[in-house]
């Protein structure tokens, strides 16, 4: 009896692994059904050509968005399933923005999450997370017709992005979380923004001292 149960367990385990790998491969190539390869090539070139951000920006972003620049999307989804914390990555955000910008042949909302994940995996094959973050930073909509971190730096601080100090860069990263909620032009939101920046700077300083 035990031998039969063990045999059934082994068969079930093998089938589970087989279907899991098969399903993963199907999803990995799912984008091909909806997005032309030429569009992918164009997107990858845009990502590669996006202007680099100050090194401190990456360090602060990595603290605020834990493991987002050195782990792929699959790892972050796996981590989310264990911790319950929302998982995202720059590659995933690029995929989502690309879908919003209508680089699709479908409007079926049911398949969009699968296309988004598949596209993010493809993007990760061709680029890295920092390059994706550069692309996002150039195009991020901070509302009120302020597009990109360079424009935000001029609007808020009257400086080039590479001239911002650590705290100013931290504020940009916090604003990227929710530009309406952390709008420094509104007094009731400025206090909230400063509070979040204080937390981020404390973590940054602690890591710098390690």
């Amino acid at each position: 009896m035990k031998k039969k149960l063990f045999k059934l367990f082994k068969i079930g385990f093998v089938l589970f692994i087989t279907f899991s790998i098969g399903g993963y491969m199907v999803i990995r190539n799912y984008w091909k059904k909806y997005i032309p390869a030429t569009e992918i090539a164009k997107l990858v070139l845009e990502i590669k050509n996006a202007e680099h951000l100050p090194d401190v920006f990456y360090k602060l972003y990595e603290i605020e968005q834990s493991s987002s620049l050195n782990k792929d999307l699959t790892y972050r989804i796996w981590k989310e399933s264990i911790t319950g914390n929302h998982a995202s990555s720059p590659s995933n955000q690029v995929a989502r923005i690309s879908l919003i910008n209508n680089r699709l042949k479908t409007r079926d909302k049911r398949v969009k999450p699968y296309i988004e994940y598949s596209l993010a995996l493809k993007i990760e094959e061709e680029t890295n997370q920092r390059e994706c973050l550069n692309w996002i930073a150039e195009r991020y909509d901070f509302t009120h017709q302020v597009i990109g971190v360079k424009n935000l730096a001029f609007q808020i601080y009257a400086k080039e992005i590479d001239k911002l100090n650590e705290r100013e860069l931290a504020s940009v990263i916090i604003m990227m979380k929710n530009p309406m909620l952390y709008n420094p032009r509104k007094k009731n939101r400025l206090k909230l923004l400063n509070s979040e920046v204080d937390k981020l700077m404390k973590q940054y300083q602690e890591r710098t001292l390690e």
Side-chain angles (χ1 to χ4, degrees), residues 49-91:
N49 289 337
E51 192 172 337
H52 286 213
L53 296 160
D55 287 340
V56 175
F57 189 98
Y58 299 122
K59 293 175 182 178
L60 288 163
Y61 189 89
E62 180 69 7
I63 294 170
E64 181 61 31
Q65 301 289 338
S66 180
S67 301
S68 59
L69 298 183
N70 56 28
K71 299 292 183 181
D72 61 23
L73 178 60
T74 302
Y75 169 84
R76 291 181 66 77
I77 290 176
W78 172 80
K79 186 177 180 181
E80 179 183 15
S81 66
I82 295 174
T83 64
N85 296 326
H86 175 66
S88 186
S89 64
S91 59

Side-chain angles (χ1 to χ4, degrees), residues 178-194:
N178 189 327
M180 293 293 288
L181 182 62
Y182 301 111
N183 186 347
R185 292 188 178 90
K186 296 183 178 180
K187 290 183 179 180
N188 60 328
R189 304 293 170 83
L190 180 58
K191 185 177 179 181
L192 183 59
L193 171 63
N194 286 332

Side-chain angles (χ1 to χ4, degrees), residues 24-203:
Y24 175 77
M25 294 308 297
V26 168
I27 291 175
R28 190 175 189 88
N29 294 292
Y30 201 60
W31 64 268
K32 294 179 180 179
K33 186 178 178 181
Y34 298 96
I35 307 174
T38 52
E39 287 289 337
I40 299 294
K42 180 181 177 182
L43 179 58
V44 168
L45 185 61
E46 287 177 0
I47 295 169
K48 291 286 187 182
N49 289 337
E51 192 172 337
H52 286 213
L53 296 160
D55 287 340
V56 175
F57 189 98
Y58 299 122
K59 293 175 182 178
L60 288 163
Y61 189 89
E62 180 69 7
I63 294 170
E64 181 61 31
Q65 301 289 338
S66 180
S67 301
S68 59
L69 298 183
N70 56 28
K71 299 292 183 181
D72 61 23
L73 178 60
T74 302
Y75 169 84
R76 291 181 66 77
I77 290 176
W78 172 80
K79 186 177 180 181
E80 179 183 15
S81 66
I82 295 174
T83 64
N85 296 326
H86 175 66
S88 186
S89 64
S91 59
N92 184 222
Q93 293 175 53
V94 170
R96 186 178 300 118
I97 294 169
S98 298
L99 299 188
I100 291 172
N101 287 338
N102 297 321
R103 295 187 179 193
L104 276 178
K105 292 180 179 178
T106 180
R107 298 294 180 269
D108 190 341
K109 292 181 179 180
R110 293 171 298 177
V111 303
K112 280 190 175 183
Y114 301 104
I115 304 171
E116 182 182 307
Y117 178 59
S118 177
L119 178 56
L121 292 176
K122 178 59 179 176
I123 290 167
E124 287 179 356
E125 285 182 9
E126 306 288 341
T127 67
N128 60 51
Q129 300 295 353
R130 283 196 177 197
E131 289 172 332
C132 289
L133 179 57
N134 297 337
W135 186 91
I136 294 164
E138 283 188 354
R139 292 160 176 79
Y140 195 89
D141 187 353
F142 288 96
T143 71
H144 303 292
Q145 298 182 327
V146 179
I147 305 297
V149 295
K150 290 180 72 174
N151 286 328
L152 182 72
F154 271 119
Q155 290 282 337
I156 303 298
Y157 299 112
K159 296 180 184 179
E160 296 276 0
I161 186 70
D162 59 356
K163 300 298 182 184
L164 298 185
N165 60 38
E166 293 171 349
R167 186 175 180 83
E168 290 165 344
L169 287 170
S171 71
V172 172
I173 290 167
I174 297 299
M175 280 185 267
M176 287 180 73
K177 290 172 61 176
N178 189 327
M180 293 293 288
L181 182 62
Y182 301 111
N183 186 347
R185 292 188 178 90
K186 296 183 178 180
K187 290 183 179 180
N188 60 328
R189 304 293 170 83
L190 180 58
K191 185 177 179 181
L192 183 59
L193 171 63
N194 286 332
S195 175
E196 291 299 309
V197 171
D198 288 341
K199 293 176 186 177
L200 179 52
M201 287 305 299
K202 183 180 179 182
Q203 290 179 283

